[in-house]
Amino acid sequence: MIEVHNLEKRFGIKPVLKGLNFQASSGEFVAILGPNGAGKTTFLRILASLSRPSSGKIRISGYPIPAQAGVVRSLIGVVTHQPLLYGDLSAEENLFFYGRMYDVAKLENRVCEVLQLVGLYNRRHDLVRTYSRGMQQRLTIGRAILHKPVVMLFDEPYTGLDQDAVIMLDGILRDIVASGHTVVMTSHDLSRAVELASRIDVLSRGLIAASVHKQDITQDRLISFYRQAVAETNP
Amino acid sequence: MSGGAKAYFKAIHAIVWKDLSAELRSRELLSSMLVFALLVILIFNFALDLDIKIRSTMTAGVLWATFAFAGTLGLNRSLALEKDRGCLDGLLLAPVDRSVIYFGKAISNLVFMLLVEAIVLPVYNFLYNVNLFHWGFLVTLLLGSLGYVIVGTLLASMAVQTRTRDILLPILLFPVIIPVLISALKASNGFLQGLAVADILPWINILIVYDLIFAAISFVAFDYVVEE
């Protein structure tokens, strides 16, 4: 589903990703952990075709990036810690706008369906700027799944959420995984990663330093596994 | 119309609709442009000689200076609103040709600029007692504004990626739009002074050619301007 070979990204002379290799198969949930500045967001932005790689090969569902980025963009849904929503439009108007941009079929029905799914149907006419952070994040997920993507990319989706919103997001993420999406999520939260993901990769200094499947590790061992992986790339 | 072309224009329409709806609610962009433009012509009204002949020769200069400076406020705000909440990424994630985003934003900016001009012209007419409702002048205004937003939208998309966007946009924009401003000024002055159309036509032609060339450049360059 996602294949990345020898990915490099430099900003000027500063290398951020240094020959990164990564794979995620269909229906897999991969959590990418790593310290600040490891290159997690850069990696996700390249997968989302928002940033051009310096070198390397990337394929999503068989389509190469950036050569067929337009096709790839119709297959992916992206959630970041920024809402990517217009505060002066209502929830319904935001979804209608993005639906038109994605040329979603039977848009009215789909917008209703998504608003019900994220629990915002009753407040669909309210302006987004009047929403709490948790409600905005729910709508952000609604925007990301509106066009029925097969791959979901989450960049630190828990940032700034209160406890209720975290529980709500956990539920939505479980539903997304249950529906067979391939999910890649970057996070600082080790416990949440091990709870939700089927595989955990540690990204450090622009490389995948270690990778482990959920069944091969307990939550107690995850911290030492993570620290060891980061330490090995920081001699 | 083919399915691809239909989706292309549908997406442009969606961006324009979104910008107009959001502006209708917030009125942030239009009010700042309008207040600035009205203040400038009011200040010029007190600064300039009361002689009607002198005033009519100054009209084109005063108006184009007003629209050019008010326009930078609008261009900056229009792209800053997209950037600040990450909405530019939302647009870039859509599976459409990136030129859709450019044309959508350029059309919205043109609508905002024309709305400001539509309000400023009658006020100018009232304050300066100069009749501006001449078809040639209005066509020049449209072509000049078009050239302004075509270049302005591209450069604002570039400037908005930097921390110094408010300062950077005028510095980038004004040297590039000098041909538009000079041609628009000459043509506007010609129409308002009642010169023969044949004498004004070369300036109009420059405006049309400039608009076409920069629309083509922006169509090609926008993708590279917005991508990291």
Side-chain angles (χ1 to χ4, degrees):
Chain A
M1 183 57 79
I2 303 175
E3 296 166 74
V4 179
H5 295 290
N6 213 16
L7 176 64
E8 289 186 11
K9 176 70 182 178
R10 287 178 293 276
F11 289 109
I13 55 163
K14 190 188 170 201
V16 178
L17 301 177
K18 306 167 184 170
L20 184 146
N21 293 302
F22 177 87
Q23 278 197 325
S25 39
S26 186
E28 199 170 17
F29 187 144
V30 184
I32 299 177
L33 305 175
N36 289 335
K40 301 187 296 294
T41 297
T42 302
F43 177 50
L44 236 61
R45 286 181 70 80
I46 291 172
L47 288 183
S49 79
L50 287 171
S51 184
R52 200 174 274 266
S54 301
S55 66
K57 287 182 181 169
I58 308 157
R59 281 181 179 272
I60 294 183
S61 286
Y63 297 101
I65 295 178
Q68 286 188 275
V71 183
V72 170
R73 287 199 289 267
S74 66
L75 301 173
I76 59 171
V78 181
V79 174
T80 69
H81 45 270
Q82 278 198 309
L84 319 189
L85 297 168
Y86 294 93
D88 289 317
L89 298 183
S90 69
E92 191 179 61
E93 287 169 335
N94 266 285
L95 293 186
F96 267 109
F97 167 64
Y98 280 108
R100 287 182 194 121
M101 293 298 287
Y102 281 85
D103 204 13
V104 173
K106 294 179 183 167
L107 184 57
E108 253 175 72
N109 295 344
R110 181 64 185 152
V111 167
C112 282
E113 199 179 299
V114 167
L115 283 168
Q116 277 163 346
L117 199 73
V118 295
L120 291 171
Y121 188 79
N122 290 335
R123 293 199 59 184
R124 66 191 184 280
H125 297 307
D126 292 359
L127 297 187
V128 168
R129 67 174 137 87
T130 65
Y131 281 12
S132 68
R133 170 85 180 101
M135 289 166 75
Q136 287 194 14
Q137 194 66 332
R138 267 193 270 173
L139 187 59
T140 300
I141 292 169
R143 174 195 55 72
I145 60 172
L146 184 68
H147 58 291
K148 298 182 179 171
V150 290
V151 175
M152 292 292 299
L153 306 174
F154 289 89
D155 184 19
E156 311 275 6
Y158 290 92
T159 305
L161 294 185
D162 61 26
Q163 202 51 40
D164 288 344
V166 166
I167 293 165
M168 172 277 304
L169 183 57
D170 278 349
I172 291 179
L173 276 173
R174 282 197 187 92
D175 290 344
I176 287 171
V177 175
S179 60
H181 289 77
T182 303
V183 179
V184 180
M185 179 181 84
T186 67
S187 180
H188 282 115
D189 191 337
L190 273 62
S191 58
R192 191 133 274 108
V194 78
E195 200 180 317
L196 293 164
S198 54
R199 196 182 90 209
I200 295 145
D201 287 4
V202 179
L203 179 60
S204 180
R205 296 218 160 197
L207 289 165
I208 299 290
S211 182
V212 66
H213 284 275
K214 185 179 181 171
Q215 64 268 25
D216 299 332
I217 198 159
T218 59
Q219 194 151 350
D220 304 336
R221 275 203 55 231
L222 183 65
I223 295 172
S224 56
F225 168 80
Y226 171 78
R227 282 187 181 150
Q228 193 184 343
V230 172
E232 279 170 9
T233 53
N234 289 280
Chain B
M1 198 185 286
S2 70
K6 201 176 163 188
Y8 190 92
F9 289 111
K10 191 175 164 186
I12 291 178
H13 177 259
I15 293 174
V16 176
W17 171 85
K18 178 267 296 174
D19 280 348
L20 298 184
S21 304
E23 183 54 28
L24 205 67
R25 302 248 166 78
S26 70
R27 295 193 187 93
E28 276 178 33
L29 197 147
L30 270 177
S31 57
S32 58
M33 284 173 80
L34 198 59
V35 167
F36 180 83
L38 291 174
L39 280 174
V40 171
I41 61 163
L42 199 67
I43 290 165
F44 272 120
N45 182 46
F46 289 108
L48 292 175
D49 205 304
L50 286 171
D51 186 337
I52 188 90
K53 275 188 180 170
I54 295 170
R55 284 190 161 216
S56 66
T57 57
M58 301 291 287
T59 294
V62 170
L63 283 175
W64 278 108
T66 305
F67 295 145
F69 288 117
T72 55
L73 290 180
L75 288 171
N76 247 333
R77 197 77 203 120
S78 157
L79 271 298
L81 285 171
E82 298 287 354
K83 187 72 181 169
D84 290 345
R85 289 176 64 89
C87 294
L88 192 58
D89 281 349
L91 293 178
L92 296 173
L93 282 167
V96 291
D97 191 282
R98 298 244 160 105
S99 61
V100 161
I101 301 166
Y102 168 76
F103 285 121
K105 293 304 292 181
I107 292 170
S108 304
N109 289 334
L110 181 65
V111 171
F112 295 139
M113 192 136 177
L114 292 178
L115 277 173
V116 169
E117 288 168 0
I119 296 169
V120 167
L121 289 189
V123 175
Y124 189 95
N125 205 5
F126 173 74
L127 286 176
Y128 290 72
N129 199 20
V130 177
N131 183 23
L132 299 170
F133 296 96
H134 182 286
W135 70 269
F137 175 70
L138 296 179
V139 169
T140 308
L141 206 60
L142 180 66
L143 289 173
S145 305
L146 190 60
Y148 185 88
V149 296
I150 281 173
V151 179
T153 305
L154 181 72
L155 295 180
S157 314
M158 204 183 286
V160 81
Q161 319 273 358
T162 67
R163 277 180 298 172
T164 54
R165 63 190 179 202
D166 295 332
I167 309 160
L168 194 62
L169 179 62
I171 292 171
L172 291 174
L173 180 62
F174 285 116
V176 186
I177 56 153
I178 281 174
V180 170
L181 290 180
I182 292 173
S183 311
L185 202 70
K186 292 284 186 186
S188 305
N189 225 2
F191 283 117
L192 293 174
Q193 299 296 313
L195 297 184
V197 175
D199 295 334
I200 305 166
L201 211 56
W203 298 111
I204 296 289
N205 287 340
I206 291 174
L207 276 178
I208 293 170
V209 170
Y210 185 96
D211 289 359
L212 289 174
I213 289 173
F214 273 91
I217 290 171
S218 304
F219 175 77
V220 176
F222 187 74
D223 198 358
Y224 297 96
V225 166
V226 290
E227 199 165 72
E228 276 176 10

